[in-house]
Amino acid sequence: QVRLVESGGGLVQPGGSLRLSCAALGGIFSSSTMGWYRQAPGKERDLVATITVTGSTNYSDSAKGRFTISRDNAKNTVYLQMNSLSPEDTGVYYCNHVWNGVNSWGKGTLVTVSS
C-alpha cells in the first residue's frame, strides 16, 4: 500500500509560481503513472497533469504552457511546477498514483492564489 504525501502549497499572488511535491512511501513508484488533480471550492476534482512510467505527460487545457509535471524515480517523488498562477488555480491539489489498476490518493495540499 503506497502512502502519498504532498507538500509545497500555500498562498501566492497572481502571476506567481509554486512547486508542489508528492513523495510516495512504500508501494511501487517507478512503474506507476503519477498525476496531480485539483479540487476547487464547491467543485469536483479535476485532472491537472499526469506522467507515465516512460515520462509521457498529459495536461488539462488550463495547465498547458504554465504547469510542468516531472518525476524523480530515485526519490520516489513527483513534482508540479506551476507558473503564471491565477485565482482560478486556487484549490486543493491531490497527488494520484496508479499501479496495476489501483488508484491511491494523498490528502492534498492547499493552493490559494490571491492578492
Side-chain angles (χ1 to χ4, degrees):
Q1 183 85 19
V2 66
R3 186 165 74 95
L4 304 173
V5 181
E6 302 100 332
S7 61
L11 174 64
V12 62
Q13 292 188 342
S17 298
L18 279 176
R19 188 174 86 149
L20 305 183
S21 300
C22 170
L25 309 178
I28 304 295
F29 182 84
S30 61
S31 58
S32 62
T33 294
M34 301 297 298
W36 287 96
Y37 290 71
R38 176 178 65 234
Q39 187 163 18
K43 296 189 176 181
E44 295 184 351
R45 191 176 301 185
D46 292 327
L47 170 73
V48 176
T50 60
I51 184 166
T52 69
V53 298
T54 60
S56 295
T57 57
N58 180 53
Y59 296 93
S60 65
D61 287 343
S62 64
K64 285 178 184 175
R66 300 187 301 128
F67 295 2
T68 303
I69 188 171
S70 61
R71 65 192 296 161
D72 185 337
N73 289 337
K75 295 183 178 180
N76 284 6
T77 300
V78 63
Y79 304 97
L80 184 68
Q81 177 66 44
M82 304 188 293
N83 299 327
S84 301
L85 286 162
S86 71
E88 290 70 32
D89 297 315
T90 293
V92 179
Y93 284 71
Y94 294 92
C95 180
N96 174 254
H97 169 283
V98 182
W99 182 77
N100 203 26
V102 177
N103 268 280
S104 299
W105 296 92
K107 294 184 177 181
T109 185
L110 176 64
V111 172
T112 303
V113 185
S114 175
S115 55

